[in-house]
Amino acid sequence: MLASLVSYLALGTAAGFLAGLYGVGGGLIIVPSLMTVFALQQVSGEVAMHVAVGTSLATIVITGASSAWGHFRRGSIRRDWLVALLPGLVMGAVLGVFVAGALSGGLLGTLFGVFLLLVAAKLVLGRSPKAGRQAPGRGSMVVAGGVIGGVSALFGIGGGTLSVPWLIRCGASMTQAVGTSAACGLPIALVGAVTFIAMGLGDPRLPDGAFGFVMLPALLGIALTSVPCARLGVRLAHRLPARVLKLSFALLLTVVGLGFLL
């Protein structure tokens, strides 16, 4: 258990640093990192991906709360849009977990690999979303929240990859989009993590230290080291050219994504 905790502290250090360096939520880094650690610990392949995703969501509850509070204090959260998105975010998160639970570990890993490749392609080829002038209706917000919540819970991410472009198209400034996205990630992660815990309780394939589909030692180790190390990543990010950061992150996601597919 001590060796495992040390490995999780190291994982949190790397994940936090990379998240700060590339300005993304930790889920894109934490899930593949956890899969590497779980493989070394010989965690059953049938549940390893589910535990990685559930644990990632649980860590986002902690880190996301800090981020959302900071944006709230600076007034960068559009609370009216957050309220409009919230029903969809919650329903989507629950549905995403149930979809994940219905998939085999291998298929869930393959889908995650494809998702990483799509994100990498968007970084290299995609353009910034065009700012909109008129916010969509409540129905559109609920549907968008459902998609954001479902995909985020399925892959154990905070949702910024999807919510920031959507909010910009709704007419939000970049500051408002990032702040509101951070607030959206909190209910997704909380509902998703709780549902993953409930779904995994009593599963005989779970490794020691797991509470449902959340690995508690990993949650502790990542929470302790990821936040301070993210600040180091942010400092380095301000010293490197933006294009270098974008292309290097796309390369990292491509390599990791192909690793899930091969």
Side-chain angles (χ1 to χ4, degrees), residues 94-103 154 199:
V94 173
L95 180 60
V97 174
F98 276 99
V99 170
L103 300 175
L154 178 63
M199 181 175 292

Side-chain angles (χ1 to χ4, degrees), residues 100-183:
L103 300 175
S104 67
L107 180 55
L108 183 57
T110 298
L111 291 176
F112 186 77
V114 172
F115 180 73
L116 292 183
L117 294 179
L118 291 175
V119 174
K122 183 178 182 299
L123 284 170
V124 175
L125 305 174
R127 298 179 179 178
S128 300
K130 296 181 179 179
R133 296 183 178 180
Q134 184 176 1
R138 183 171 293 273
S140 298
M141 282 291 201
V142 172
V143 172
V147 173
I148 293 168
V151 174
S152 301
L154 178 63
F155 296 129
I157 61 175
T161 305
L162 301 175
S163 56
V164 169
W166 168 255
L167 290 165
I168 290 175
R169 292 184 185 279
C170 291
S173 65
M174 178 57 74
T175 301
Q176 289 176 330
V178 172
T180 307
S181 174

Side-chain angles (χ1 to χ4, degrees), residues 3-108:
S4 297
L5 182 57
V6 171
S7 67
Y8 294 135
L9 290 170
L11 188 156
T13 299
F17 177 78
L18 291 173
L21 178 64
Y22 294 120
V24 298
L28 290 175
I29 304 297
I30 291 173
V31 172
S33 300
L34 280 173
M35 287 298 291
T36 300
V37 175
F38 290 164
L40 295 174
Q41 296 176 347
Q42 297 183 333
V43 175
S44 170
E46 297 178 355
V47 296
M49 189 65 189
H50 299 82
V51 177
V53 172
T55 305
S56 176
L57 289 171
T59 63
I60 292 172
V61 173
I62 299 173
T63 58
S66 175
S67 175
W69 175 246
H71 285 291
F72 176 78
R73 293 182 62 184
R74 289 167 175 78
S76 57
I77 296 177
R78 282 289 302 262
R79 281 177 281 184
D80 54 336
W81 289 358
L82 175 61
V83 171
L85 287 166
L86 190 58
L89 295 174
V90 172
M91 290 186 292
V94 173
L95 180 60
V97 174
F98 276 99
V99 170
L103 300 175
S104 67
L107 180 55
L108 183 57

